[in-house]
Amino acid sequence: MAKLKGNAVVGQSGGPTCVINQSLVGVITECRKHPEITGLFGAVEGVKGILNENFYDLMKEKPASLEAVAATPGAALRSVRKKPTAEECQKMFEIFKKYGVRYFFYIGGNDSAETANIVNQMAARENYELRVFHVPKTIDNDLLVTDHCPGYGSAAKFVAAAIAGDGLDNESLQGIKIDIIMGRHAGCRPAAARLARTEPDTAPHLIYVPERPFIMKNFLADVDRVYKKLGRCLIAVSEGIADANGDPVYKSKEVDAHGNVQLSGTGALGDFLAAEIRANLGEKLRVRADTFGYLQRSFPGFASEVDAKEARQVGIHAVKHACKNNSDGSISIIRKPGKKYAVEYVLTPLASVAKHTKSLPDEFINAEGNDITDAFVRYALPLVGKMPVVKRLAGKMLKKRS
Amino acid sequence: MAKLKGNAVVGQSGGPTCVINQSLVGVITECRKHPEITGLFGAVEGVKGILNENFYDLMKEKPASLEAVAATPGAALRSVRKKPTAEECQKMFEIFKKYGVRYFFYIGGNDSAETANIVNQMAARENYELRVFHVPKTIDNDLLVTDHCPGYGSAAKFVAAAIAGDGLDNESLQGIKIDIIMGRHAGCRPAAARLARTEPDTAPHLIYVPERPFIMKNFLADVDRVYKKLGRCLIAVSEGIADANGDPVYKSKEVDAHGNVQLSGTGALGDFLAAEIRANLGEKLRVRADTFGYLQRSFPGFASEVDAKEARQVGIHAVKHACKNNSDGSISIIRKPGKKYAVEYVLTPLASVAKHTKSLPDEFINAEGNDITDAFVRYALPLVGKMPVVKRLAGKMLKKRS
């Protein structure tokens, strides 16, 4: 069969990550190896760029500087939080025809996979030959089929390192520290805090994810127990925690011990939990709260090497499948059996990753719902790769003199 | 003159940094080289450990593991926020006599220098030979005499990298981003955001430090101007900004456009500024705020190499001066003249660094009070050392097709 000749469009969608440009550069470098791809257009701001016909001419990028672009956080093509309507998908398809586009690579999460699927179905209905690939990306690690998502390993590494360092800070000055970790629905990012615990008494001492109801009474008892034992307690909390009714914890009036109206805000949950601890366990306790924001997905020079490599590979494999196998789909990362971490990149249908997402598996959460299990550590540690070494003094006490 | 034989005490005080253990390990390794120092006691939690006679026997630490301890954030001896009273200084001195202590090394800020100075004066009055050294440390970079403080370079590197990454994130999705940078009185840490700006239009676009009054009207005009030009604006703000009367900005009722009572809290200032921007520049604008908390002083594996090296050296030089020159004091870092960055470590009297602190020099703040100057970049860049490389696409636009 003759190779499908034409132009390719690549775009980036949704929240950026530290390695989303690795996937982009994977697509660019691989496209250049296939002469049937005659032009390579970068959609500026994802589907918005396609609809507005704003494209970078990526064939004009100097190959020498692409490695630096790949290592740069953020979406080099800029991104968009937009799920196009059916009409917009139709318009995108018309623009593809106008620009002689025969290949479309869309880097993003489940919504992007759905967009890609809709455009692909339109092309099939009109018998317009188009190869459409979704290239997976999300720090929430919530895509179906794949073992894990490019972007997650680096976000998890940042969270684990941040908790390790903050735990040492808390150990220095003692007291109670609350770290709120962004990620509204899936607990996989807050769970990564668990990777910081290298000894039984190092931080984090408690972890709460949105997959379990947050019961204030139990939380306070947990904190009290740890604090009484160690003189300190570091708690990792998902911003998405909700009570047994599914209501966000800091909006729940019944647990407000102060009669204050809690304003929503970037620090509201952490401040609220800190106030509850002081009100119930002692007003004089040293309690602090931080909220980890956008740094989790954008901090430069700290990506997981494994994550960076895999993000590049999913981009490369998408182009290879499109060109060599004449197929559409999404690239999933499948972990090979065996003790040593190894993966393969597998083609999966667009529909299999579109729309739906997955939660943190049950076996990764302990029975009490206040910690993350060793099974998660075995799963996640290879994705994070090399962590900074931290070490305490041996700390043998000198005998007191009388 | 015979060498002063006896035990040494070392302690760490105040907020930890990423390199405070470098200074500790500098003291430990250098003390071991001087046979007149017969025992080395680590005060657990600074002056609190001395008062309670809680000491680690640091001669029992394995030399091989000290390098890993040095690279670990947080205070390995634990720290304390306590300025001892005159009575407590007297008690500390009595404990020093009981434990045969002839050398005292105290790693901390200006309060620690003052404590060291008081204990030193007591010893002098009683003709008890005691060598007392302050070893400088503070992420606020506000100590007198020294060109800069160990701990600052690493905190500045974190802030600069965080702003660079967050700026790329903001560039990806556009809109307005506010980053609140902790540091209540001195603007040197928020100023470090300036180091992220490698091109005229990269983040941060505006910087506000506590050394200048914060005028809401001017702030909103600044943001509007940048946003209209670039479609995005990243703003670095010190948590310590105050209005022309010296009142904290988010408690100032006159600038509250909503009639809401602003609760104090970890995210309050950022949320308040975001609300002001929406109320005055457009409710539909994408405005986000983050508050950089304890990670600035505790994030592992990301210390400035220059900072780490200098922090080690101030510890070493303190011991050398105490043993070889029979002196007391503090170690200052003095920058040598010339284009290439180089420093020397200089003895300065305890009293010269005790009590008082310095603000960001005028020449580092622009006339409008909304940015940091190139003079600051020349000052601070060598302290931060190697920054992660970030690179954009060349981004040549494809010609639109009709």
Side-chain angles (χ1 to χ4, degrees), chain B residues 44-367:
Chain B
V44 180
E45 301 182 25
V47 294
K48 204 171 140 191
I50 300 171
L51 291 168
N52 296 331
E53 300 174 44
N54 282 334
F55 297 109
Y56 289 157
D57 185 351
L58 293 177
M59 290 298 192
K60 297 231 165 100
E61 293 293 327
K62 284 186 186 145
S65 65
L66 286 178
E67 280 307 317
V69 173
T72 299
L77 291 174
R78 300 220 296 262
S79 189
V80 69
R81 290 200 176 281
K82 181 181 171 61
K83 201 171 152 179
T85 62
E87 290 73 35
E88 286 172 327
C89 285
Q90 186 65 43
K91 194 181 163 195
M92 281 166 59
F93 179 49
E94 300 301 329
I95 290 164
F96 281 174
K97 286 192 281 189
K98 184 162 85 173
Y99 281 79
V101 172
R102 293 290 181 174
Y103 298 88
F104 175 36
F105 304 100
Y106 205 30
I107 307 166
N110 56 311
D111 282 347
S112 307
E114 199 183 348
T115 299
N117 198 28
I118 292 169
V119 173
N120 196 38
Q121 287 165 348
M122 283 176 180
R125 273 199 298 274
E126 297 202 17
N127 285 320
Y128 178 87
E129 272 211 81
L130 183 69
R131 306 281 171 265
V132 177
F133 261 85
H134 166 250
V135 181
K137 169 263 8 164
T138 160
I139 58 169
D140 283 328
N141 204 32
D142 60 357
L143 293 184
L144 295 177
V145 188
T146 192
D147 176 79
H148 56 276
C149 304
Y152 173 68
S154 298
K157 183 182 173 190
F158 182 90
V159 168
I163 294 288
D166 200 33
L168 290 159
D169 194 277
N170 184 245
E171 201 168 320
S172 302
L173 288 167
Q174 311 281 294
I176 295 164
K177 181 71 198 291
I178 300 157
D179 284 326
I180 306 295
I181 299 166
M182 309 287 265
R184 201 158 282 276
H185 304 297
C188 219
R189 236 183 318 154
R194 174 66 180 80
L195 304 176
R197 194 191 304 148
T198 50
E199 294 179 53
D201 68 338
T202 52
H205 306 102
L206 298 165
I207 306 171
Y208 300 91
V209 292
E211 283 82 358
R212 292 288 179 276
F214 183 87
I215 315 296
M216 183 59 77
K217 185 170 64 72
N218 299 352
F219 167 73
L220 293 169
D222 290 342
V223 174
D224 193 45
R225 178 176 43 79
V226 174
Y227 183 73
K228 281 190 175 139
K229 189 177 169 192
L230 300 177
R232 60 196 157 82
C233 182
L234 189 143
I235 311 146
V237 181
S238 163
E239 65 162 342
I241 54 166
D243 62 22
N245 299 321
D247 292 323
V249 167
Y250 67 93
K251 282 183 181 166
S252 170
K253 290 284 160 55
E254 63 174 348
V255 289
D256 185 347
H258 313 282
N260 289 333
V261 177
Q262 295 291 329
L263 295 180
S264 69
T266 53
L269 177 58
D271 295 343
F272 175 73
L273 294 176
E276 287 295 316
I277 289 171
R278 279 194 210 96
N280 290 281
L281 303 183
E283 286 292 347
K284 286 190 173 173
L285 287 174
R286 179 179 184 267
V287 190
R288 300 286 185 274
D290 266 335
T291 303
F292 296 176
Y294 288 78
L295 302 190
Q296 293 170 71
R297 70 184 198 197
S298 64
F299 198 77
F302 205 73
S304 151
E305 284 170 31
V306 173
D307 189 30
K309 186 187 150 197
E310 292 179 349
R312 180 77 66 102
Q313 288 299 318
V314 291
I316 290 171
H317 277 80
V319 178
K320 279 188 175 168
H321 273 289
C323 292
K324 290 189 181 167
N325 303 338
N326 212 21
S327 56
D328 310 295
S330 176
I331 303 297
S332 282
I333 302 174
I334 305 299
R335 198 183 296 229
K336 290 182 182 172
K339 273 201 168 179
K340 198 172 171 238
Y341 176 78
V343 298
E344 54 190 337
Y345 303 92
V346 172
L347 178 70
T348 187
L350 285 167
S352 69
V353 291
K355 285 189 195 171
H356 304 292
T357 56
K358 67 182 173 195
S359 297
L360 197 61
D362 281 343
E363 71 261 30
F364 291 170
I365 309 170
N366 74 338

Side-chain angles (χ1 to χ4, degrees), chain A residues 163-178 196-206 221-235 277 281 285-288 392-393, chain B residues 44-45 56 75-76 78-79:
Chain A
I163 293 288
D166 199 34
L168 290 158
D169 194 278
N170 184 246
E171 201 167 318
S172 302
L173 288 167
Q174 311 281 295
I176 295 163
K177 181 70 197 292
I178 301 158
R197 193 191 303 148
T198 50
E199 293 178 53
D201 69 339
T202 52
H205 307 102
L206 297 165
D222 290 342
V223 174
D224 191 47
R225 176 176 45 76
V226 173
Y227 183 73
K228 281 191 175 139
K229 188 177 170 192
L230 300 178
R232 60 195 154 83
C233 182
L234 189 143
I235 311 147
I277 289 171
L281 304 182
L285 287 174
R286 179 178 184 269
V287 191
R288 300 287 184 273
R392 293 158 157 173
L393 290 168
Chain B
V44 180
E45 301 182 25
Y56 289 157
R78 300 220 296 262
S79 189

Side-chain angles (χ1 to χ4, degrees), chain A residues 115-151:
Chain A
T115 299
N117 198 27
I118 292 169
V119 173
N120 196 37
Q121 287 165 349
M122 282 176 180
R125 272 198 299 273
E126 296 202 15
N127 284 319
Y128 178 87
E129 271 210 81
L130 182 69
R131 306 283 170 263
V132 177
F133 261 86
H134 166 250
V135 180
K137 171 267 359 171
T138 159
I139 59 171
D140 283 329
N141 204 32
D142 60 356
L143 292 184
L144 295 176
V145 188
T146 193
D147 177 78
H148 56 277
C149 304

Side-chain angles (χ1 to χ4, degrees), chain A residues 7 14-17 21 24 28 41 44-45 52-58 60-62 65-66 68-81 98-100 157-166 168-169 171-174 177 179 182 232 260-268 270-271 286 288-295 297-302 388-402, chain B residues 7 14-17 21 24 28 41 44-45 52-58 60-62 65-66 68-81 98-100 157-166 168-169 171-174 177 179 182 232 260-268 270-271 286 288-295 297-302 388-402:
Chain A
N7 295 316
T17 78
N21 292 332
L24 174 65
I28 294 173
F41 310 153
V44 180
E45 302 183 24
N52 296 330
E53 300 174 43
N54 283 334
F55 298 109
Y56 289 158
D57 185 349
L58 294 177
K60 298 232 166 98
E61 294 293 328
K62 284 185 187 149
S65 64
L66 286 176
V69 172
T72 300
L77 291 174
R78 301 221 295 263
S79 188
V80 69
R81 290 201 177 281
K98 184 162 83 172
Y99 281 80
K157 183 182 174 190
F158 182 90
V159 168
I163 293 288
D166 199 34
L168 290 158
D169 194 278
E171 201 167 318
S172 302
L173 288 167
Q174 311 281 295
K177 181 70 197 292
D179 285 326
M182 309 285 267
R232 60 195 154 83
N260 289 332
V261 177
Q262 295 292 326
L263 295 178
S264 68
T266 53
D271 295 341
R286 179 178 184 269
R288 300 287 184 273
D290 266 334
T291 302
F292 296 175
Y294 287 78
L295 303 189
R297 71 184 196 196
S298 64
F299 197 77
F302 205 73
V389 174
V390 294
K391 192 160 178 65
R392 293 158 157 173
L393 290 168
K396 295 217 172 176
M397 293 304 292
L398 188 78
K399 213 182 143 188
K400 287 194 186 187
R401 299 189 181 179
S402 55
Chain B
N7 295 318
T17 79
N21 292 331
L24 174 65
I28 295 173
F41 310 154
V44 180
E45 301 182 25
N52 296 331
E53 300 174 44
N54 282 334
F55 297 109
Y56 289 157
D57 185 351
L58 293 177
K60 297 231 165 100
E61 293 293 327
K62 284 186 186 145
S65 65
L66 286 178
V69 173
T72 299
L77 291 174
R78 300 220 296 262
S79 189
V80 69
R81 290 200 176 281
K98 184 162 85 173
Y99 281 79
K157 183 182 173 190
F158 182 90
V159 168
I163 294 288
D166 200 33
L168 290 159
D169 194 277
E171 201 168 320
S172 302
L173 288 167
Q174 311 281 294
K177 181 71 198 291
D179 284 326
M182 309 287 265
R232 60 196 157 82
N260 289 333
V261 177
Q262 295 291 329
L263 295 180
S264 69
T266 53
D271 295 343
R286 179 179 184 267
R288 300 286 185 274
D290 266 335
T291 303
F292 296 176
Y294 288 78
L295 302 190
R297 70 184 198 197
S298 64
F299 198 77
F302 205 73
V389 174
V390 294
K391 193 161 178 61
R392 293 158 158 176
L393 290 168
K396 295 218 171 176
M397 293 304 292
L398 189 78
K399 213 182 142 190
K400 287 194 186 187
R401 299 188 181 181
S402 54

